[in-house]
Amino acid sequence: MDALILCAGKGERLKPLTENRPKPMIPIAGKPILQHIIDKIEDLVDNIYLIVKHKKENIIEHFKDHPKVKFLEQGKIDGTGEAVLTAKNHIGDEFLVINGDIVFEDTLEQFLKYKYAIAVKEVSDPKNFGVVVLDDKNNVIEIQEKPENPKSNLINAGIYKFDRKIFELIEKTEISKRGERELTDAIKLLIKEENVKGIKLNGYWNDVGRPWDVLEANKYFLDKIKTYISGKVEENVIIKGNVIIEKGAVIKANSVIEGPAIIKKGSIVGPLAYIRPYTVLMENTFVGNSSEIKSSIIMKNTKIPHLSYVGDSIIGENCNFGCNTITANLRFDDKPVKVNIKGKRVESVRKLGVIMGDNVKTGIQVSFMPGVKVGSNCWIGASCLIDRDIESDVFVYK
Ligand code: TTP
C-alpha cells in the first residue's frame, strides 16, 4: 500500500502566507500541516509520494531524510486530477490519495479494507463544498459541486482510496470550466462502474484554506499538548496551563506564559513579556519587554522586541516589529471581521488580526486594523495606520 499526498497547489486563498512556502508547510501547533498528515499515515503505508510544484524546495528540505517519502513534480499546476496522474508510472497497485492541506484526527486504517473509498465529513452548511450522497449501504451514489440545494450534509473530505483504475478514468475526463483536470470528475465516472465506500470521519477535520482556518486548527491541536519544559526559565516567571518550552528557548525574568502555548528552540521571551493562550512562537523568535502575544502564530526568526500587541494573527518569518506595533483584532460592532480572499470581501470570524508575509519591517507605532493582509518584504513606516491590504515589496510611509 502506498500513499499520494497532493502538495503542488499555489494556495491562493492563503496569500501572503503561501508566497514563500506551499500551503502544506504552514505550521499548525508548531509543525507543518504535511507533517501532521505524514505522522498519521507513515505506519500504514510502504511509500509516501508527495506531488510537489509551487515552492517545492521547502517540502523537499523538510522531508528529504524521511525513509518512506519520495517527491514527484507535477508538470503544470492544473488540477487535482493532473496531480494524481503525476504518480502513474511510480505508485503501486493500491494507494491512498490525500489533499496536502487538510488536518484530521481519524485513523485511516479503515480505508485499507476497501478497494475504493472516500472520506466524508458531516457539516452544517455544505453548500460551498463537494457534497457526497450515500445510499443505505454507505456507497457513494452522487457527488454535487457546491450545490444550491445539497442532497446531504456530507462533504468530500479530501481523503481517498483507489487502485490504478483511477488513472484511466482521469485520462477520460474533460478539462473543467476553471481550466483544470479535476479528480472529482474521475470519481464521478468511478461510482458509475464500482462500489465506492463513503467513510464518515468522526474526529476533528479541517480543510485549511483560509487564514482563520489556520488559527482554528492551531487552537484545536494546541488543546492536545502536554507540558514539557526543557528550555531555560529565569526567576519570577509564571507558567499556567500546558506549555511546551523547547530546549534552547529562554524565558526571561518576570514573564507570564499562559498555555496552551509552544515556544520553540532558540526563541527568547521577556523580560516582562506576556504570552497568552493559543500562541506558537516558532524557532528563533524574540518577544521582548512588555509585548503581548495572543492566539497567534509567529514564524521563525521574527522579532517583536518591545511594547507591542499581536492578537489572532499570523506573522511570517524574519519580520521585525518596531516599538509599539499594534494589531487590532475586533470590530466595535462585534461583527465578523471581513477579509479579501481572491478578490472577494468575505466574512471571517469575530476576532482576527493581521495576516503577514515574510521579511516585513514595521517602524515605531504602526497599527493594523482587523483582517488586513501585508505581503512579504514590505516596509511600513513609523506611525502608519494600515487599514487596507498591502501588496508585497511595498514601502508604505503614510
Ligand atoms: P485546492 O484546495 O484547490 O488547493 P490550492 O493549493 O489550489 O489552493 P487555493 O484554492 O487557495 O488556490 O486543492 C486541493 C489540494 O490539491 C491541495 O492540497 C493542493 C493540491 N493541488 C495539487 O497538488 N495540484 C494542483 O494542480 C491543484 C489545483 C491542487
Side-chain angles (χ1 to χ4, degrees):
M1 175 71 54
D2 287 342
L4 182 58
I5 308 180
L6 311 184
C7 308
K10 283 190 178 160
E12 294 284 342
R13 290 166 298 160
L14 271 169
K15 273 183 165 178
L17 304 174
T18 46
E19 283 175 345
N20 295 328
R21 66 184 64 70
K23 188 161 36 164
M25 290 305 288
I26 291 177
I28 285 182
K31 63 182 182 183
I33 293 171
L34 185 53
Q35 184 75 61
H36 284 265
I37 300 175
I38 290 179
D39 290 350
K40 296 242 41 129
I41 62 162
E42 62 191 356
D43 294 337
L44 299 177
V45 299
D46 304 313
N47 300 295
I48 301 172
Y49 292 92
L50 303 183
I51 306 299
V52 296
K53 179 80 177 176
H54 175 67
K55 303 293 168 191
K56 63 178 191 291
E57 323 70 52
N58 287 259
I59 295 182
I60 295 170
E61 181 55 33
H62 191 93
F63 293 100
K64 63 182 190 306
D65 298 325
H66 192 296
K68 291 187 178 178
V69 167
K70 298 173 172 62
F71 308 97
L72 297 172
E73 186 166 347
Q74 191 176 337
K76 275 193 285 168
I77 303 178
D78 46 14
T80 45
E82 208 58 49
V84 172
L85 265 187
T86 311
K88 186 178 172 186
N89 297 328
H90 303 271
I91 207 153
D93 292 340
E94 298 205 14
F95 47 91
L96 292 167
V97 173
I98 305 171
N99 285 358
D101 55 358
I102 53 171
V103 284
F104 54 91
E105 229 181 1
D106 289 62
T107 164
L108 300 190
E109 221 168 335
Q110 44 184 342
F111 283 72
L112 310 187
K113 290 195 289 203
Y114 303 101
K115 205 166 178 187
Y116 305 108
I118 306 183
V120 294
K121 181 73 188 165
E122 197 172 323
V123 297
S124 52
D125 185 11
K127 278 187 187 155
N128 288 321
F129 296 90
V131 169
V132 181
V133 187
L134 305 182
D135 67 10
D136 52 5
K137 294 199 178 84
N138 284 346
N139 289 317
V140 180
I141 49 173
E142 192 179 343
I143 298 183
Q144 307 174 287
E145 296 302 336
K146 298 185 179 173
E148 265 301 301
N149 299 308
K151 290 187 187 168
S152 92
N153 57 356
L154 298 173
I155 61 165
N156 176 355
I159 303 170
Y160 316 88
K161 165 73 190 356
F162 297 129
D163 70 0
R164 296 185 59 82
K165 180 172 185 162
I166 198 70
F167 298 124
E168 251 169 66
L169 297 177
I170 294 170
E171 281 163 345
K172 281 188 191 161
T173 58
E174 305 281 326
I175 303 298
S176 70
K177 275 187 217 142
R178 58 175 178 178
E180 293 187 355
R181 213 199 272 265
E182 317 270 358
L183 180 59
T184 42
D185 287 341
I187 299 171
K188 285 176 189 163
L189 300 176
L190 185 67
I191 59 177
K192 285 188 191 151
E193 297 176 20
E194 306 281 351
N195 280 341
V196 179
K197 195 59 78 182
I199 297 181
K200 290 184 191 162
L201 300 181
N202 298 312
Y204 181 78
W205 172 90
N206 194 334
D207 172 12
V208 186
R210 304 154 309 175
W212 55 98
D213 296 324
V214 175
L215 290 171
E216 195 222 281
N218 191 55
K219 280 188 178 163
Y220 183 83
F221 286 100
L222 281 178
D223 270 330
K224 307 274 163 206
I225 67 168
K226 297 272 174 285
T227 294
Y228 175 75
I229 297 176
S230 59
K232 186 177 170 199
V233 177
E234 292 184 357
E235 63 278 15
N236 295 327
V237 168
I238 297 172
I239 298 178
K240 292 181 188 165
N242 286 314
V243 173
I244 295 175
I245 300 173
E246 289 187 357
K247 198 170 176 202
V250 181
I251 314 300
K252 294 197 168 179
N254 300 304
S255 296
V256 176
I257 320 267
E258 292 174 353
I262 300 178
I263 296 165
K264 300 204 60 121
K265 64 180 180 205
S267 291
I268 298 173
V269 172
L272 277 163
Y274 184 20
I275 304 296
R276 292 175 55 198
Y278 303 111
T279 292
V280 178
L281 304 182
M282 297 297 286
E283 292 84 356
N284 304 314
T285 53
F286 175 37
V287 176
N289 172 37
S290 297
S291 287
E292 173 179 341
I293 317 286
K294 179 231 151 190
S295 296
S296 294
I297 299 170
I298 312 295
M299 295 198 204
K300 65 183 183 192
N301 302 326
T302 283
K303 298 189 173 32
I304 306 174
H306 6 244
L307 297 166
S308 290
Y309 172 71
V310 178
D312 303 279
S313 297
I314 307 173
I315 309 296
E317 298 179 10
N318 298 312
C319 294
N320 197 87
F321 281 17
C323 182
N324 209 208
T325 294
I326 306 288
T327 65
N329 59 345
L330 181 64
R331 291 165 53 115
F332 279 142
D333 61 10
D334 252 5
K335 289 197 172 144
V337 171
K338 289 192 176 152
V339 181
N340 294 320
I341 299 285
K342 275 180 134 177
K344 281 199 188 125
R345 198 98 182 112
V346 302
E347 287 189 349
S348 66
V349 284
R350 186 170 154 267
K351 285 195 174 179
L352 186 69
V354 61
I355 310 303
M356 186 178 283
D358 300 332
N359 311 314
V360 174
K361 291 184 184 180
T362 67
I364 54 165
Q365 293 180 332
V366 167
S367 307
F368 296 97
M369 294 305 279
V372 297
K373 295 187 193 171
V374 179
S376 300
N377 313 317
C378 286
W379 292 354
I380 315 285
S383 292
C384 284
L385 170 67
I386 302 301
D387 57 359
R388 63 211 178 270
D389 289 359
I390 307 292
E391 291 289 309
S392 306
D393 306 300
V394 172
F395 183 3
V396 182
Y397 51 92
K398 57 179 171 190

